[in-house]
Amino acid sequence: DVKVTQSSRYLVKRTGEKVFLECVQDMDHENMFWYRQDPGLGLRLIYFSYDVKMKEKGDIPEGYSVSREKKERFSLILESASTNQTSMYLCASSSYDGYEKLFFGSGTQLSVL
Amino acid sequence: DAKTTQPPSMDCAEGRAANLPCNHSTISGNEYVYWYRQIHSQGPQYIIHGLKNNETNEMASLIITEDRKSSTLILPHATLRDTAVYYCIVRVGGGNYKLTFGKGTLLTVNP
């Protein structure tokens, strides 16, 4: 089975800190995604990547950046965390030929105080 | 991508079939219908997708109307573990890789 692993299940950070959320997939998938999920707003796409060193903005990229130096790893970076970035962050991956079928990690609940 | 409309919540008795509707009246010819579900405290899980024909896999069946303006996800024998939020998503195949999730339907399976 495909496994998408997110480095932390819960994370607490302070306003202004630089935050790294890490995601690793073990199925050699080309595509990787970062979503955030908030009550009443559903899942919203932040960034996605379809190849190493390639990235595309999603629907809400402001305040975030990403890094994909290796195929299996996709990092989400909050340059200066703010309280409105408190959320559940979900990473996903998919293969190029099966791009409709996303595999998700269990999520990281980030609290910014 | 076409917009979808789903009821916010539904109930189903354990062991009975759960039929989850989705309206996508503005769907275009090259748009697929996808279903995902999200069990509490987990990431979403792919269930099934289709274009025109009905589809079945080990998890569920997808029935798409002939005019493609609506679809129904069927869980033939719902269990308590099927309690989850179910998302119906419509998007084109190829190119743009992103899936846009709406608010979905909370299905509660009752004992």
Side-chain angles (χ1 to χ4, degrees):
Chain A
D1 279 353
V2 174
K3 192 167 185 181
V4 179
T5 303
Q6 295 185 229
S7 54
S8 304
R9 186 76 175 102
Y10 298 96
L11 208 54
V12 180
K13 296 292 181 181
R14 297 211 174 271
T15 303
E17 279 193 75
K18 190 170 185 176
V19 181
F20 293 86
L21 301 183
E22 306 287 345
C23 175
V24 177
Q25 49 95 2
D26 66 357
M27 282 300 292
D28 201 35
H29 282 170
E30 290 80 9
N31 307 318
M32 295 189 75
F33 308 81
W34 276 106
Y35 288 85
R36 67 177 280 179
Q37 184 170 28
D38 302 286
L41 296 177
L43 279 84
R44 293 179 290 167
L45 182 64
I46 305 171
Y47 267 97
F48 65 102
S49 168
Y50 52 89
D51 202 351
V52 175
K53 297 190 185 295
M54 304 301 289
K55 60 185 179 183
E56 293 279 347
K57 292 180 179 179
D59 300 316
I60 52 163
E62 298 77 20
Y64 303 94
S65 62
V66 290
S67 173
R68 191 155 181 213
E69 297 295 320
K70 293 184 177 181
K71 192 174 186 180
E72 68 271 17
R73 186 179 297 270
F74 193 34
S75 302
L76 180 69
I77 304 158
L78 288 66
E79 294 289 343
S80 178
S82 63
T83 54
N84 62 13
Q85 292 179 309
T86 291
S87 186
M88 170 67 78
Y89 289 88
L90 289 155
C91 176
S93 72
S94 68
S95 64
Y96 181 76
D97 59 353
Y99 49 78
E100 308 90 347
K101 190 172 180 179
L102 269 62
F103 294 86
F104 281 83
S106 297
T108 295
Q109 179 62 51
L110 173 67
S111 296
V112 182
L113 307 178
Chain B
D1 294 338
K3 183 179 177 180
T4 62
T5 303
Q6 298 178 254
S9 64
M10 294 182 63
D11 286 299
C12 177
E14 188 177 20
R16 305 297 291 267
N19 297 283
L20 293 99
C22 180
N23 182 287
H24 32 78
S25 58
T26 59
I27 193 171
S28 59
N30 62 347
E31 288 183 312
Y32 289 73
V33 180
Y34 299 84
W35 284 85
Y36 280 74
R37 74 179 183 183
Q38 187 173 22
I39 296 170
H40 183 62
S41 298
Q42 297 182 21
Q45 175 190 26
Y46 167 86
I47 301 173
I48 199 167
H49 77 279
L51 181 62
K52 294 181 182 178
N53 300 320
N54 298 337
E55 302 287 344
T56 295
N57 63 20
E58 65 279 3
M59 291 183 68
S61 295
L62 173 60
I63 308 297
I64 303 174
T65 58
E66 194 169 340
D67 64 7
R68 303 186 69 239
K69 292 184 177 183
S70 67
S71 60
T72 301
L73 179 75
I74 301 172
L75 309 178
H77 305 287
T79 70
L80 299 180
R81 288 178 298 178
D82 292 321
T83 293
V85 177
Y86 287 78
Y87 299 98
C88 170
I89 304 163
V90 172
R91 56 146 281 182
V92 298
N96 185 345
Y97 303 98
K98 64 180 185 180
L99 284 178
T100 300
F101 289 77
K103 296 183 179 180
T105 297
L106 173 60
L107 173 69
T108 302
V109 180
N110 300 303

